[in-house]
Amino acid sequence: AEAARIMATESQRNFRVAKQKAAARIGVNSRLALPSNQEVEDALRAYQGFFGGEHHDQQLQELRSTALRVMRGLETFKPRLVGPVLEGTADRHSRICLHVFSDPAEAVALDLLERGLDYRQEERTIRWHDGSHRRIALLVTEADGRSIELALFGSKDLRQAPPCPVSGHPQKRAPITEVECLVAGQGEPV
């Protein structure tokens, strides 16, 4: 519960760091068995539901609307919404995370440049299905005052999502049609 509170109130997005801070604050040795990322995410949902209420729901709706607008602009690259905005645990500091697919991946950057959109490049290492680690190129831009993270994947990666950092199962990815349903208030992701 303390790790979830830290994530909700201190804009911490790293589960490991949140758990270590929580352990230190409540006087537990962080070398002991800490809760799983899934347990922390469940507690985060409960915290946001209890303390966030309508404000959290409105904020999430705004993030999803922005995501949908950006996805429509990137339709050529088969964008998929992932992460906290899709899962419903996003807050005002959360990035809108999209997976985009192109061969070559640089085509996404060229598209942004052609449209006069500024971006910066980052990189993230993620665990892959076979247990190895892969470096994923990221382009970070802005829309509607929100930070947008575009993770660049090859076209073949559209067939199988990378493992979710929370559960280890294939990451949930929503195409434009599913995000349209979320924005229209027709359910949450499954």
Side-chain angles (χ1 to χ4, degrees):
E2 178 63 11
R5 189 197 65 73
I6 288 168
M7 293 183 81
T9 61
E10 298 178 19
S11 304
Q12 179 55 253
R13 285 288 167 228
N14 185 306
F15 283 91
R16 181 182 52 78
V17 172
K19 289 187 279 189
Q20 288 173 337
K21 275 186 170 183
R25 287 184 186 171
I26 63 175
V28 174
N29 185 337
S30 64
R31 292 183 183 180
L32 297 176
L34 296 176
S36 70
N37 290 353
Q38 186 65 60
E39 291 170 315
V40 173
E41 185 176 72
D42 292 344
L44 177 59
R45 277 183 211 286
Y47 184 95
Q48 289 173 325
F50 187 74
F51 292 104
E54 285 183 33
H55 177 70
H56 173 72
D57 294 342
Q58 180 184 1
Q59 209 167 45
L60 190 57
Q61 193 68 358
E62 289 170 7
L63 287 164
R64 288 174 173 171
S65 294
T66 298
L68 181 58
R69 189 175 68 74
V70 171
M71 291 173 78
R72 286 178 175 149
L74 294 168
E75 198 162 5
T76 305
F77 304 109
K78 300 173 181 64
R80 301 295 191 260
L81 179 63
V82 299
V85 174
L86 174 62
E87 300 291 339
T89 58
D91 60 32
R92 62 187 171 97
H93 302 289
S94 297
R95 282 182 173 177
I96 296 170
C97 301
L98 301 174
H99 288 182
V100 291
F101 305 88
S102 178
D103 295 316
E106 295 80 27
V108 179
L110 291 173
D111 182 71
L112 295 178
L113 287 174
E114 286 174 5
R115 292 193 280 149
L117 299 172
D118 291 330
Y119 66 87
R120 70 180 181 280
Q121 294 180 314
E122 295 181 7
E123 195 173 76
R124 176 174 299 133
T125 301
I126 62 170
R127 185 175 46 84
W128 206 243
H129 306 285
D130 60 5
S132 67
H133 288 82
R134 265 177 81 172
R135 293 185 141 200
I136 303 296
L138 306 174
L139 302 179
V140 181
T141 188
E142 291 207 7
D144 300 337
R146 308 286 187 176
S147 193
I148 312 292
E149 175 184 289
L150 306 175
L152 306 179
F153 289 92
S155 295
K156 67 179 168 70
D157 294 322
L158 184 59
R159 291 190 300 261
Q160 186 171 12
C164 173
V166 176
S167 68
H169 301 297
Q171 190 171 27
K172 293 178 188 174
R173 300 193 293 194
I176 290 173
T177 54
E178 286 182 33
V179 179
E180 287 172 338
C181 289
L182 290 174
V183 169
Q186 300 173 0
E188 287 297 313
V190 290

